[in-house]
Amino acid sequence: DTGVSQNPRHKITKRGQNVTFRCDPISEHNRLYWYRQTLGQGPEFLTYFQNEAQLEKSRLLSDRFSAERPKGSFSTLEIQRTEQGDSAMYLCASSPRDRHYEQYFGPGTRLTVT
Amino acid sequence: AQRVTQPEKLLSVFKGAPVELKCNYSYSGSPELFWYVQYSRQRLQLLLRHISRESIKGFTADLNKGETSFHLKKPFAQEEDSAMYYCALSGLGAQKLVFGQGTRLTINP
């Protein structure tokens, strides 16, 4: 499968713990996006990278959230001191350089904070 | 502010009947509008884009700037059209997508 992959697919953690998610985009795509989706809502934009540069961050991305894409390939999203309100599906997407609007989504990582 | 509104959370129609999923948007400039679809147990994927003016799987959508709408239509629904549909916008030259809440479409046999 050459699509976008995300690991882990599910994560259950206790409030206050740190969690890290990984996203592997489609190899020739230079843009990578993170979205968050809660029950009954559409995906909400968190941040995006062009190659290794983080070009935009949403106000939703509090200081507890950090994302990296160190070599312009895979990306990680870390949430520190998790809160119950962080429970959501975290989606990663990538897009090719000439068609940024055509975002290819991964299966998502479902986070449950207890 | 950028906003996408899909007024119907659920829509149920019979096979062979016409389908219209509503989408209204709010954006101060010239947006690009999209429909994304998520079939059961599959990933979210692009269905169509207003600029391309294509018909994909029998679906079309016309951008109406006066009414700030981008409704998705299909003349004859098929059972395989059952899915979650999201309307989304992107500012011209911008990268992020702003999604609506989604409409779950169910096609009854």
Side-chain angles (χ1 to χ4, degrees):
Chain A
D1 184 1
T2 56
V4 176
S5 62
Q6 292 186 246
N7 288 287
R9 295 291 306 277
H10 303 274
K11 179 71 177 178
I12 300 174
T13 191
K14 292 186 177 180
R15 190 176 54 187
Q17 298 294 304
N18 299 344
V19 293
T20 300
F21 310 141
R22 176 176 169 129
C23 171
D24 287 88
I26 294 172
S27 59
E28 62 268 24
H29 289 183
N30 69 331
R31 292 190 174 105
L32 185 149
Y33 312 80
W34 286 99
Y35 293 85
R36 180 172 68 185
Q37 186 173 23
T38 52
L39 202 60
Q41 302 295 318
E44 295 175 291
F45 171 79
L46 293 178
T47 189
Y48 97 92
F49 294 83
Q50 179 167 298
N51 301 313
E52 65 274 9
Q54 187 174 20
L55 296 187
E56 187 174 351
K57 290 169 61 172
S58 163
R59 281 173 288 181
L60 290 174
L61 217 63
S62 75
D63 291 346
R64 298 183 298 104
F65 288 71
S66 62
E68 293 183 342
R69 194 183 183 198
K71 296 181 181 177
S73 58
F74 72 91
S75 175
T76 57
L77 178 68
E78 181 183 17
I79 309 174
Q80 296 182 325
R81 305 180 303 281
T82 52
E83 301 172 356
Q84 286 189 318
D86 297 331
S87 295
M89 177 74 87
Y90 289 83
L91 295 168
C92 177
S94 67
S95 65
R97 84 182 56 244
D98 58 341
R99 299 190 311 278
H100 67 85
Y101 55 84
E102 194 169 332
Q103 297 188 16
Y104 291 77
F105 282 81
T109 295
R110 181 169 295 284
L111 173 66
T112 302
V113 181
T114 62
Chain B
Q2 301 175 17
R3 185 188 297 271
V4 176
T5 303
Q6 294 179 249
E8 303 139 328
K9 282 204 152 182
L10 302 170
L11 183 62
S12 183
V13 301
F14 286 103
K15 177 182 171 182
V19 172
E20 182 178 48
L21 289 85
K22 291 183 167 41
C23 171
N24 289 89
Y25 68 90
S26 173
Y27 187 76
S28 56
S30 296
E32 291 191 60
L33 274 296
F34 310 90
W35 279 96
Y36 274 74
V37 61
Q38 187 167 25
Y39 301 102
S40 180
R41 299 188 190 88
Q42 294 188 28
R43 305 169 184 205
L44 194 57
Q45 58 186 286
L46 177 64
L47 179 62
L48 56 79
R49 177 186 179 217
H50 91 268
I51 286 179
S52 63
R53 303 185 68 82
E54 292 175 308
S55 171
I56 305 292
K57 298 185 178 183
F59 284 98
T60 59
D62 289 319
L63 179 61
N64 185 324
K65 292 186 179 180
E67 294 184 358
T68 59
S69 70
F70 187 57
H71 303 327
L72 183 68
K73 300 177 184 179
K74 184 169 182 176
F76 307 103
Q78 298 172 296
E79 288 184 64
E80 54 264 34
D81 296 329
S82 294
M84 194 75 185
Y85 290 80
Y86 293 96
C87 182
L89 74 76
S90 172
L92 202 60
Q95 311 304 322
K96 70 181 182 185
L97 292 170
V98 176
F99 286 88
Q101 289 186 310
T103 298
R104 181 170 297 283
L105 176 65
T106 302
I107 308 302
N108 300 305

